[in-house]
Amino acid sequence: MSAITDRSSPRAVPFKVPTARLALKSVGPSPGQVELDGAWWPRSRDLSDELPALADVLDPLWGRITRIAVNPRYWPVIPQRIFVNGHVVKVGWFTTELDPHKIVLLSGTSGRWDLLVIPPEISAPSAARLMAAASASTAPQSTATALMTAELVDAPSTSADADTGQPDRPAASMRPSAPPPRP
């Protein structure tokens, strides 16, 4: 007995590089007492390139992202607005009100989301530990700066760092910079 199936031939789908490196808690947005909803590991310090990729991923998950807030300490340039999924997202910065290792995303439909920002130059093992700590639903809550400080103190040095006698790169590369001028 033979069977005839009417299947279309497979087609090539272009490979798309993952747009944002994220680790999110499995629960909803911060109910007020939760410090972090997850972690984001950008590939560079260029917010004009990095924020659209982040918001593009989170927009369908969390609802339309309308505003993003960052602390300018580690960002050399902060755009005033970005375009995401056909709409404008306003970007603001706060020096004293916002932890320098955190980003806040606001959605009109689901509220506020706080993410730990892992420095792009940090090693992959350190980033993995930070992402796991920030996205663990059962872990004790900690601030973004406390997580970063603990990781920089406890992180084992890599073989490359041991060969040069240099400490982990993140501490040296995370020197504060002046905030951008307000328009």
Side-chain angles (χ1 to χ4, degrees):
M1 178 173 180
S2 64
I4 299 175
T5 59
D6 185 25
R7 293 187 188 183
S8 58
S9 60
R11 60 185 170 97
V13 176
F15 175 74
K16 184 177 178 184
V17 176
T19 55
R21 298 181 289 189
L22 288 168
L24 304 173
K25 288 186 178 178
S26 59
V27 296
S30 297
Q33 75 273 10
V34 175
E35 176 64 29
L36 295 168
D37 299 299
W40 171 50
W41 185 21
R43 289 176 171 76
S44 74
R45 294 213 179 264
D46 184 352
L47 281 179
S48 297
D49 284 343
E50 298 293 335
L51 285 180
L54 174 65
D56 187 50
V57 170
L58 297 177
D59 217 48
L61 294 173
W62 291 349
R64 187 178 198 146
I65 304 294
T66 57
R67 294 184 182 271
I68 298 174
V70 299
N71 183 308
R73 181 180 294 176
Y74 302 122
W75 303 106
V77 177
I78 299 173
Q80 292 182 355
R81 65 188 58 83
I82 58 170
F83 296 95
V84 178
N85 296 326
H87 70 278
V88 175
V89 176
K90 293 182 181 181
V91 181
W93 58 272
F94 302 93
T95 55
T96 57
E97 299 87 0
L98 188 60
D99 186 317
H101 299 287
K102 187 164 70 171
I103 186 169
V104 175
L105 298 107
L106 301 172
S107 166
T109 57
S110 61
R112 174 183 169 139
W113 297 80
D114 296 75
L115 297 176
L116 168 69
V117 178
I118 299 170
E121 41 301 298
I122 204 162
S123 69
S126 288
R129 284 188 295 274
L130 286 165
M131 291 179 103
S135 64
S137 296
T138 58
Q141 288 301 308
S142 186
T143 65
T145 292
L147 282 174
M148 287 301 303
T149 302
E151 179 59 32
L152 294 176
V153 169
D154 296 339
S157 63
T158 62
S159 59
D161 294 333
D163 293 342
T164 62
Q166 298 294 320
D168 279 348
R169 284 175 298 204
S173 63
M174 292 173 49
R175 290 189 182 99
S177 62
R182 287 203 186 247

